[in-house]
Amino acid sequence: MFTTSLPYDAPDIGWNVDSFSCSLVLPENGVTTHESITPPPSALEAREHLHARIMALNHAIETASHQNLEPRCTPHPKGVRWWNNECFIAQTATCCAKGAARQAAFKTLRCTMRMAQRMWAHDLLHEAADSTDIWHMATTCKGHQANTFPALRMANNTLVKDPNMKAEALKAQFFPPIHPTIKIDQPDDPPPLPTRTWDPISHREVSQALQGASAKSAPGPSGVRYTLLKWAHQARPDAITLIFNLCLDTGTHPWHHATIIVLNKPNKPDYSNPKAYRPISLLKCISKVLEKIVAKRFNHNISTYGLLPMTQFGSHPHHTAVDAAAVLTHCIQATRDSRHAGALILFDILGFFNNINPEQAVKILALKGFPDNVCHWTLSFLTEWTASLRMGTYTSTEFSIVYGTPQGSPLSPILSALYTSPLLDLTASWTHRDLTMYVDDGAIYATSATANATAKSTVLGLEQALT
C-alpha cells in the first residue's frame, strides 16, 4: 500500500544530509511527540491517522530524494569488475579477425579473461583489510541467488520448466495452503503472568536501531534504504517515532508485502527438488526498524523475567549453538562416566517459520505478560501477508500468505523461540531424558542402565513432544 520506488543512489549518511534535511518537509502534526498526540476516538480513525502519517513520510522522502540525489545509473548487463584494458584489446582483435585467425583470437581472449579474473581475485585478497573482508568474499561459495533455475519437480513427480509452474512448485513447498487445526486453549497452559507495561518507543531507540543497520541491505519492495531513513530521522526525529508508536497503540502492522528471494541451499544433490531452496523475504526497511526495536524489547523482557527456558539456545542473548553443543557433550560424558547407556534423537521442524499459528503465538505472548496492544500488533504482523517470488530475473504474480513469520524479519527468530517455550516448559519435568532446542532444531537425549530402556525412553520422549 505504501510504496515509494526511488531510482537514486544514497551513499554514506554524511553525504548531502543537510540539504536532504532541509528538503524533508512534513505537516506540523506529523512531527509532534508521541505524548502530545490526542488519540483519535475510534480504532478506525486511529488506523487512518497512522496511514496518513506513513503516506506523508513516504511523500517527504521521495520529494527530498528528487531534489537532492542524482539518478542512479543502470550498470551495463555485461559489466564485470575484473574486466581490464587487455581484455578490451583482445575482444577488439576477436571482432576484427576472420576465418582461422578469429578462432586463434577467440582463444587468446579466453586466456586473457582467465588471467584478468585471476589477477583481480589476487589483488582483492591482497587488499583485504581484515578477516571480515575475507569471510565476505568466501560467501560467494555459499548459497546464492541463481540467475537460472533448473526444471523443478512438482508434487506429482513431473518436471516443469515454465517459470509460472516453478513458482507454483515453490509456493506449495514454502507456503502450504492447508494448515493443521489446533486448539488455542490447552489444558496444561500455565497460569498467566501479570501484564507488564510497555513504554512508548523513544527517539533514542529509533536512532540506535538505524545506527546498526547496514547501508548495503536490500531495500525491499519500497526502494527506500536505511540511509534515507537515517536522513529522515535526523531531519525530523519525531516523524518515524510517532509512526512506530501509532502502530503499537493501534495494534496494526501496516507493511504486509514482501519480495521473496529464492536461494539455493549449498551442496544439495538434486536441485530439481523444491526442498533444495530456501525463501528469504525482502521487507521494507522501515518495517524492519520497528521489528528490530520490538525484538530488542522482547529480549529484554526474556532476560529480566526469565520468559524462555534455559533449554532454548537460539535467538536470545548469551545463548548460542556452541552452548547447545557443550550441554549435549556434557550429558554424553556424564553418561559414559556413570557406565550407563545413552541415546540421542535429532530432529528439525519442517517449514517452522511459515507454519507458526498466529492465534497460538499471541496466546503465548499474553500468558507471558505482554500487553494487549503488543499482542494485537503481533497478530497483525503474522497475518494478511502478500508476496511475490523472485527467481533470477523472473518475478511471480502477487499471492497471499495465510500466516507465518517472514524469514528475513529481525523479529522472526525471537518470536519463533517464544513459540516453542510451552513445549520446553512441559519437558522440564522429564527424568533421565531432556529436550534442548536451537529455534526449530531439537535434540532429545535419554540415559538408562540398559540400551533397550534408553531407546524406549528416547522414543517415548519424541512421541510426547509430537503430541
Side-chain angles (χ1 to χ4, degrees):
M1 180 181 297
F2 313 107
T3 301
T4 304
S5 298
L6 296 176
Y8 298 93
D9 282 321
D12 187 79
I13 184 64
W15 182 84
N16 209 21
V17 66
D18 293 333
S19 58
F20 186 90
S21 302
C22 295
S23 302
L24 190 69
V25 179
L26 291 167
E28 290 300 323
N29 62 346
V31 295
T32 51
T33 61
H34 172 73
E35 291 79 0
S36 63
I37 290 294
T38 301
S42 68
L44 178 61
E45 291 182 359
R47 287 192 292 270
E48 291 176 349
H49 181 60
L50 168 62
H51 292 171
R53 292 299 93 223
I54 296 174
M55 294 296 292
L57 177 64
N58 285 346
H59 177 73
I61 290 177
E62 185 168 7
T63 301
S65 299
H66 276 286
Q67 294 176 0
N68 296 281
L69 303 180
E70 294 293 332
R72 182 171 54 228
C73 297
T74 303
H76 193 277
K78 295 184 179 180
V80 288
R81 288 177 290 179
W82 48 262
W83 189 269
N84 55 25
N85 190 50
E86 287 76 11
C87 294
F88 176 76
I89 294 174
Q91 183 193 34
T92 303
T94 303
C95 294
C96 297
K98 294 182 180 180
R102 183 179 179 86
Q103 294 181 355
F106 184 74
K107 183 177 180 180
T108 303
L109 174 61
R110 288 198 302 176
C111 293
T112 305
M113 292 170 57
R114 192 179 300 114
M115 182 62 67
Q117 292 173 349
R118 189 174 301 163
M119 291 177 59
W120 172 81
H122 179 272
D123 293 341
L124 192 66
L125 287 172
H126 181 71
E127 296 173 1
D130 51 32
S131 59
T132 304
D133 293 338
I134 297 176
W135 282 113
H136 179 71
M137 299 170 196
T139 57
T140 58
C141 301
K142 306 296 182 180
H144 60 280
Q145 180 182 357
N147 290 325
T148 58
F149 271 71
L152 294 182
R153 196 173 301 278
M154 301 288 287
N156 57 6
N157 208 33
T158 59
L159 290 174
V160 294
K161 296 182 179 179
D162 180 69
N164 295 318
M165 296 301 295
K166 292 180 183 179
E168 293 300 322
L170 292 171
K171 283 193 293 183
Q173 172 64 33
F174 299 151
F175 312 105
I178 301 176
H179 296 272
T181 302
I182 62 175
K183 295 181 179 180
I184 304 303
D185 296 319
Q186 298 291 334
D188 50 9
D189 282 339
L193 298 176
T195 302
R196 296 179 296 277
T197 58
W198 188 276
D199 295 331
I201 293 175
S202 64
H203 305 330
R204 182 179 181 183
E205 287 180 285
V206 178
S207 299
Q208 290 176 343
L210 286 170
Q211 185 178 5
S214 172
K216 297 181 180 180
S217 295
S222 68
V224 177
R225 294 181 180 270
Y226 284 118
T227 301
L228 295 177
L229 294 177
K230 291 177 182 179
W231 289 349
H233 184 63
Q234 183 174 346
R236 299 290 186 271
D238 294 323
I240 297 179
T241 308
L242 170 66
I243 290 174
F244 288 171
N245 281 309
L246 285 174
C247 288
L248 293 171
D249 288 346
T250 60
T252 304
H253 184 76
W255 303 283
H256 280 100
H257 183 73
T259 300
I260 299 177
I261 305 297
V262 180
L263 303 181
N264 66 304
K265 299 177 181 178
N267 304 321
K268 292 296 181 181
D270 182 13
Y271 283 100
S272 67
N273 188 345
K275 292 183 179 180
Y277 302 88
R278 66 163 58 92
I280 299 296
S281 299
L282 298 184
L283 309 175
K284 296 184 180 181
C285 289
I286 189 172
S287 173
K288 290 195 288 186
V289 173
L290 175 57
E291 293 156 24
K292 185 185 295 185
I293 294 173
V294 174
K296 186 175 181 180
R297 290 199 176 193
F298 276 9
N299 275 314
H300 176 73
N301 277 256
I302 288 171
S303 301
T304 304
Y305 302 102
L307 303 182
L308 268 184
M310 296 295 292
T311 48
Q312 173 58 269
F313 291 92
S315 306
H316 61 295
H318 313 301
H319 292 72
T320 65
V322 175
D323 296 326
V327 168
L328 181 58
T329 303
H330 170 76
C331 292
I332 295 174
Q333 290 176 343
T335 302
R336 294 186 61 183
D337 292 342
S338 63
R339 299 184 179 279
H340 283 179
L344 173 68
I345 293 180
L346 301 175
F347 64 90
D348 172 74
I349 303 176
L350 181 64
F352 177 64
F353 289 92
N354 296 326
N355 288 278
I356 289 180
N357 185 283
E359 288 79 11
Q360 184 65 35
V362 170
K363 174 66 179 301
I364 293 171
L365 292 181
L367 290 176
K368 292 187 177 296
F370 289 96
D372 290 342
N373 64 310
V374 176
C375 294
H376 293 157
W377 178 86
T378 306
L379 181 63
S380 177
F381 169 74
L382 292 173
T383 54
E384 299 179 357
W385 278 90
T386 60
S388 299
L389 280 176
R390 183 183 297 171
M391 301 176 291
T393 58
Y394 169 79
T395 301
S396 72
T397 56
E398 186 175 302
F399 60 93
S400 299
I401 300 176
V402 179
Y403 58 66
T405 178
Q407 298 187 51
S409 167
L411 183 61
S412 295
I414 188 60
L415 191 61
S416 302
L418 285 167
Y419 192 76
T420 64
S421 60
L423 172 62
L424 294 172
D425 288 333
L426 291 175
T427 59
S429 60
W430 284 358
T431 56
H432 304 298
R433 65 170 178 265
D434 57 49
L435 168 64
T436 57
M437 296 194 71
Y438 187 86
V439 190
D440 59 337
D441 296 314
I444 297 177
Y445 184 79
T447 181
S448 186
T450 65
N452 187 36
T454 303
K456 290 182 178 179
S457 177
T458 311
V459 173
L460 179 61
L462 180 61
E463 293 174 350
Q464 292 180 357
L466 293 176
T467 55

